[in-house]
Coordinates of all heavy atoms in Angstrom, one line a residue:
D3 N -29.4 13.4 8.8 CA -29.7 14.5 7.9 C -28.8 15.6 8.0 O -28.7 16.4 7.1 CB -31.1 14.9 8.4 CG -32.2 13.9 8.1 OD1 -32.1 13.1 7.2 OD2 -33.2 13.9 8.8
V15 N -7.7 8.9 -12.7 CA -6.3 8.7 -13.1 C -5.7 7.8 -12.1 O -5.1 8.3 -11.1 CB -5.5 10.1 -13.2 CG1 -4.1 9.8 -13.6 CG2 -6.2 11.0 -14.2
R30 N -3.8 9.7 -3.0 CA -4.0 8.9 -1.8 C -3.1 7.6 -2.0 O -2.7 7.3 -3.1 CB -5.5 8.4 -1.8 CG -6.5 9.5 -1.5 CD -8.0 9.0 -1.5 NE -8.4 8.6 -2.8 CZ -9.5 8.1 -3.1 NH1 -10.4 7.8 -2.1 NH2 -9.9 7.8 -4.3
K36 N -8.8 2.3 -0.5 CA -9.6 1.2 -0.1 C -10.6 1.6 1.0 O -11.7 1.1 1.1 CB -8.7 0.0 0.3 CG -8.1 -0.7 -0.8 CD -7.3 -1.9 -0.3 CE -6.6 -2.7 -1.4 NZ -5.8 -3.8 -0.8
L50 N -8.9 14.9 3.0 CA -8.8 15.8 1.9 C -7.9 16.9 2.2 O -7.1 17.4 1.3 CB -10.3 16.4 1.6 CG -11.3 15.4 1.0 CD1 -12.6 16.2 0.8 CD2 -10.8 14.9 -0.4
E54 N -4.4 17.7 0.0 CA -4.1 19.0 -0.5 C -2.6 19.4 -0.2 O -1.9 19.8 -1.1 CB -5.0 20.1 0.1 CG -4.9 21.5 -0.5 CD -5.9 22.4 0.0 OE1 -7.0 22.0 0.3 OE2 -5.6 23.6 0.0
Q57 N -0.3 17.0 -2.2 CA -0.2 17.4 -3.6 C 0.8 18.6 -3.7 O 1.6 18.6 -4.6 CB -1.5 17.7 -4.2 CG -1.5 18.1 -5.6 CD -2.9 18.5 -6.2 OE1 -3.8 18.5 -5.5 NE2 -2.9 18.6 -7.5
S62 N 5.8 19.3 -8.9 CA 6.8 20.1 -9.3 C 6.7 20.5 -10.7 O 6.4 19.7 -11.6 CB 8.2 19.4 -9.1 OG 9.2 20.2 -9.6

Side-chain angles (χ1 to χ4, degrees):
D3 292 333
V15 179
R30 292 181 292 174
K36 287 181 178 180
L50 290 177
E54 186 175 330
Q57 181 180 9
S62 173

